[in-house]
Amino acid sequence: QIQSAFNVGIIPLFIQTLNSSKTMAQQFRPQEKTEEEIIIHALSNAFIHGNLNQKLYLVEQGCIQVLSHVLNSNASNSSNSIDFNTLILIIDAFHSLLQSTKEKEEEDRNNDNNINVSYNNEANHPKDLKALLLEIDNVNGVSHIENLQDSSSEDVYHKAVAFLETWYGGEEENDENEMN
């Protein structure tokens, strides 16, 4: 199903729709799902359940920046904030992308292939785990996740802490930790 969505070209339309939402936080209501929230769930689920090439395509289309923006829209903790499950889903999406990239790099090293994870036909995009970590940081994804440590939801707090410790803990040993 994920590949079918890619084949019909819907991902760029999703990104365009989310980018056109000037005030993302105002689009969300606690009890009703908006078009934007449905798209956010679809993109996050594609990151979580897609293969690495599909995940890298999502990155190429701008999904990291868009999903990071959504994390920031919750910073106000207003009644219009997105629900906690959506925040957790986005963090899981980032984790899945990074974990898949890390596993591919380890597989390549173990096979002595020296082939980097790369985008299709794009030389100017991130090609490895380090570059993806930097891209998430460059679009303020890390700072937005850090801000979620102040969430009123314990689940969001724990997910944010686990993500930051796993991927941005400072020590290389932390990269080997798994998120729960």
Side-chain angles (χ1 to χ4, degrees):
Q1 289 179 343
I2 294 170
Q3 190 59 48
S4 296
F6 290 173
N7 290 344
V8 297
I10 198 159
I11 301 302
L13 295 174
F14 282 177
I15 300 302
Q16 181 181 17
T17 299
L18 291 175
N19 280 331
S20 69
S21 297
K22 300 281 187 221
T23 54
M24 187 75 68
Q26 293 177 354
Q27 300 297 321
F28 297 100
R29 304 290 180 264
Q31 267 88 34
E32 61 187 69
K33 294 220 188 252
T34 64
E35 180 180 81
E36 289 84 4
E37 192 167 15
I38 292 167
I39 292 170
I40 290 163
H41 279 251
L43 293 174
S44 296
N45 281 319
F47 267 119
I48 293 167
H49 301 292
N51 64 43
L52 183 57
N53 286 334
Q54 292 166 335
K55 292 173 187 184
L56 293 175
Y57 174 78
L58 292 169
V59 172
E60 184 179 286
Q61 294 302 308
C63 287
I64 289 177
Q65 183 173 8
V66 169
L67 293 178
S68 177
H69 177 74
V70 174
L71 292 174
N72 187 47
S73 71
N74 201 59
S76 65
N77 288 326
S78 70
S79 60
N80 293 333
S81 297
I82 61 176
D83 68 88
F84 296 133
N85 289 332
T86 301
L87 297 173
I88 290 168
L89 189 66
I90 293 169
I91 295 170
D92 284 343
F94 287 167
H95 172 75
S96 181
L97 167 66
L98 296 171
Q99 187 64 38
S100 295
T101 304
K102 178 182 174 186
E103 289 170 2
K104 175 65 173 154
E105 288 180 358
E106 289 172 354
E107 178 185 318
D108 288 347
R109 271 194 300 276
N110 290 339
N111 292 333
D112 291 325
N113 286 340
N114 295 328
I115 300 171
N116 289 331
V117 175
S118 63
Y119 290 90
N120 299 331
N121 303 320
E122 296 289 335
N124 60 342
H125 289 290
K127 296 181 180 170
D128 59 19
L129 179 61
K130 186 176 180 180
L132 289 170
L133 288 164
L134 185 60
E135 182 167 340
I136 292 170
D137 191 28
N138 286 342
V139 296
N140 298 314
V142 175
S143 63
H144 299 327
I145 294 172
E146 286 172 343
N147 291 338
L148 292 176
Q149 293 177 99
D150 296 329
S151 173
S152 61
S153 165
E154 275 191 47
D155 292 337
V156 171
Y157 164 80
H158 289 296
K159 187 61 72 168
V161 167
F163 179 85
L164 293 168
E165 287 178 354
T166 299
W167 299 107
Y168 295 91
E171 294 293 325
E172 289 186 23
E173 293 88 32
N174 288 340
D175 290 348
E176 297 174 10
N177 295 336
E178 292 291 323
M179 277 183 45
N180 294 332

